[in-house]
Amino acid sequence: MALKVALLGCGVVGSEVVRLMNEQSTELAARIGTPLEIGGIAVRRTGRVRDTGLDPELFTTDAMSLVTRPDIDLVVEVIGGIEPARSLILAAVKAGKSVVTANKALLAEDGEVIHDAARDAGVDIYYEASVAGAIPLLRPLRDSLAGDRINRVLGIVNGTTNYILDRMDALGAGFAESLEEAQALGYAESDPTADVEGFDAAAKAAILARLAFHTPVTAADVHREGITEVTAGDIVSAQAMGCVVKLLAICQRSEDGASVGVRVHPVMLPREHPLANVKEAYNAVFVEAESAGRLMFYGAGAGGSPTASAVLGDVVAIARNRRAGTFAADGDDDSVLAVHPMGETVTRYHVALDVADRPGVLAAVAEVYAANGVSIKNVRQEGHGEDAQLVLVSHQAPDAALARTVEQLRTLDMVRAVASVMRVEAFQH
Ligand SMILES: NC(=O)c1ccc[n+]([C@@H]2O[C@H](COP(=O)([O-])OP(=O)(O)OC[C@H]3O[C@@H](n4cnc5c(N)ncnc54)[C@H](O)[C@@H]3O)[C@@H](O)[C@H]2O)c1
Ligand SMILES: N[C@@H](CCO)C(=O)O
Ligand code: NA
């Protein structure tokens, strides 16, 4: 008997899922031990002629009836957004169907409800495509690393912003013109807010943190800063330190192990770090685990066919589970660690100050750092006379103390302007 798949959404990803299921039907059937068949495709409008080679009767606008149809075994949700995706997934799960979804926004907002429902119903929910597209990442975190203790995850999980920052680094271009170029090439959407403001990366950070630390984390727990304020001057400052600027999703266990911090913001990263060499719109995730050490996962984070590859991998995994008469309950959130606020997260700051080159300036600046309990790692001066710049890199300190330091530096008479402020990341050990 064929395994019947209901497809919800036939856009960029959905249409590639259809194409690959058709093209690889023989291989997929061999791998699963039974043929895969598309039982129905939910679309917003059925009017358009579709170039899928499929029976037009398969298309429906009634997604709810499709997901609960008794002959459907498995539902693939590639509509995106919160509703109706959430109601459709919950209805499918309650009707005993396993689900594959690429929907990071929904999983980051309401993942626990969906995972609990799947566990209660004894069905699978797989979502490899939701973070870093084609890159096998979530199942390695969930399965291969289940015997280890993960301390930190650093990820370039948004291709659009990586492309923009890469152009700024390579060409000295500004943010606005790099964004325009990304849009012209089809990397950035016409409304790029979710990417450039870090919402997309924050949703992915929540999903990664949940899997890495076995604890519930939602998008609301993630501190988020995008790249719209990164200037050509920041990039030059980074280059002067042998760094590149990257937008990172960072999920980090606190030193005492009692809590986790989850954040998305631009960082300066030394060029020798493997993530610094992730160019264009590629994604990569760097995992630091107690026993496994440093691991990196690299590849295409988006695009119809890479994302469909991850979706189909999940379909095969679920099909194999079904044949074995089992399902793989997702991370049972055994830890329930607190998520600490950004102010308590330990970070380091790079700060460049436009100052006049006069006696007492460095002392006054150093005093502000000292008053906030922040130790300076190194300081250098660029230029001289009225055009001097002091560049300071701090040791690690709570982010709140560093942010306070910068605010107080702004009020010093001898500081003409705070030219660049950015957190610095490096290898942890
Ligand atoms: N495109 C990528 O590279 C990529 C990568 C990783 C994850 N994803 C995720 O995959 C999902 C789909 O992304 P996409 O790029 O294919 O989006 P898309 O906009 O191209 O496709 C979504 C499709 O769903 C349809 N749709 C909307 N509401 C519907 C409804 N109620 N019933 C039936 N169909 C409906 C839309 O008409 C559209 O054709 C999203 O969750 C996205 O975050 C996409
Ligand atoms: N918009 C995302 C792709 C989908 O996750 C990116 O730029 O990486
Ligand atoms: Na992935």
Side-chain angles (χ1 to χ4, degrees):
M1 259 241 307
L3 198 75
K4 270 203 185 165
V5 176
L7 183 67
L8 310 182
C10 198
V12 172
V13 179
S15 57
E16 282 299 295
V17 171
V18 171
R19 184 180 69 80
L20 292 175
M21 273 181 72
N22 283 335
E23 280 180 19
Q24 299 178 21
S25 60
T26 312
E27 293 94 323
L28 288 168
R31 264 165 235 165
I32 294 169
T34 187
L36 273 181
E37 187 184 316
I38 294 181
I41 303 177
V43 290
R44 210 153 24 190
R45 282 176 297 276
T46 49
R48 270 196 300 145
V49 180
R50 292 184 179 277
D51 187 23
T52 55
L54 293 170
D55 180 354
E57 293 287 305
L58 285 175
F59 292 92
T60 173
T61 53
D62 186 358
M64 192 52 90
S65 298
L66 176 61
V67 299
T68 50
R69 228 171 64 191
D71 62 319
I72 294 295
D73 299 299
L74 200 157
V75 172
V76 172
E77 184 274 308
V78 279
I79 291 173
I82 305 300
E83 283 296 349
R86 169 171 40 203
S87 303
L88 291 168
I89 289 176
L90 289 173
V93 161
K94 285 192 184 111
K97 328 287 186 192
S98 287
V99 173
V100 177
T101 176
N103 194 331
K104 63 223 130 188
L106 175 59
L107 289 167
E109 183 169 305
D110 235 355
E112 292 319 304
V113 171
I114 290 166
H115 294 301
D116 287 350
R119 238 189 324 265
D120 290 348
V123 299
D124 280 322
I125 168 118
Y126 275 53
Y127 47 100
E128 184 59 76
S130 68
V131 183
I135 306 174
L137 170 66
L138 303 188
R139 281 202 267 149
L141 281 177
R142 189 177 98 159
D143 300 329
S144 319
L145 288 164
D148 208 332
R149 177 187 168 95
I150 294 173
N151 291 318
R152 193 163 78 141
V153 178
L154 298 178
I156 295 172
V157 291
N158 183 269
T160 305
T161 47
N162 201 57
Y163 183 85
I164 293 170
L165 292 172
D166 187 34
R167 301 316 280 168
M168 291 174 75
D169 183 60
L171 307 177
F175 169 77
E177 66 186 281
S178 301
L179 169 61
E180 268 175 38
E181 192 189 330
Q183 283 172 320
L185 287 169
Y187 288 124
E189 308 204 11
S190 51
D191 178 2
T193 313
D195 294 319
V196 298
E197 297 290 0
F199 290 102
D200 176 75
K204 292 165 177 170
I207 295 170
L208 286 175
R210 176 179 178 276
L211 284 172
F213 304 128
H214 310 277
T215 195
V217 178
T218 69
D221 296 321
V222 182
H223 173 86
R224 176 190 53 77
E225 295 169 33
I227 64 161
T228 53
E229 313 217 316
V230 176
T231 63
D234 291 325
I235 305 280
V236 170
S237 283
Q239 288 169 343
M241 291 217 309
C243 287
V244 289
V245 175
K246 294 289 186 192
L247 182 73
L248 292 191
I250 304 176
C251 317
Q252 188 167 352
R253 209 183 273 280
S254 62
E255 211 133 274
D256 64 5
S259 63
V260 295
V262 191
R263 53 199 163 109
V264 168
H265 55 72
V267 306
M268 291 184 182
L269 196 66
R271 282 191 189 266
E272 60 268 22
H273 194 286
L275 287 175
N277 291 308
V278 176
K279 309 277 189 198
E280 302 180 347
Y282 281 97
N283 282 196
V285 177
F286 192 78
V287 176
E288 295 169 355
E290 196 77 28
S291 308
R294 297 168 180 165
L295 306 164
M296 186 152 105
F297 302 84
Y298 172 87
S305 94
T307 308
S309 159
V311 167
L312 277 186
D314 283 353
V315 168
V316 171
I318 289 175
R320 287 173 172 163
N321 288 348
R322 280 179 65 94
R323 263 175 72 85
T326 183
F327 74 103
D330 192 85
D332 29 356
D333 296 348
D334 43 23
S335 310
V336 196
L337 297 171
V339 181
H340 58 249
M342 186 62 195
E344 289 173 25
T345 296
V346 172
T347 61
R348 293 202 291 141
Y349 274 34
H350 162 282
V351 176
L353 305 172
D354 291 341
V355 295
D357 186 4
R358 287 200 211 108
V361 175
L362 180 58
V365 166
E367 198 176 313
V368 173
Y369 276 77
N372 286 290
V374 177
S375 172
I376 296 168
K377 180 165 186 273
N378 56 53
V379 57
R380 70 171 199 279
Q381 180 176 323
E382 307 223 319
H384 51 79
E386 291 303 308
D387 289 326
Q389 194 170 70
L390 276 183
V391 182
L392 301 105
V393 180
S394 74
H395 276 295
Q396 287 197 325
D399 198 78
L402 287 157
R404 212 165 41 236
T405 303
V406 173
E407 281 325 300
Q408 292 173 9
L409 290 171
R410 281 186 207 284
T411 66
L412 289 184
D413 285 344
M414 42 194 85
V415 171
R416 277 204 316 280
V418 177
S420 173
V421 178
M422 201 173 287
R423 299 182 184 93
V424 182
E425 286 292 329
F427 294 113
Q428 199 168 29
H429 301 291

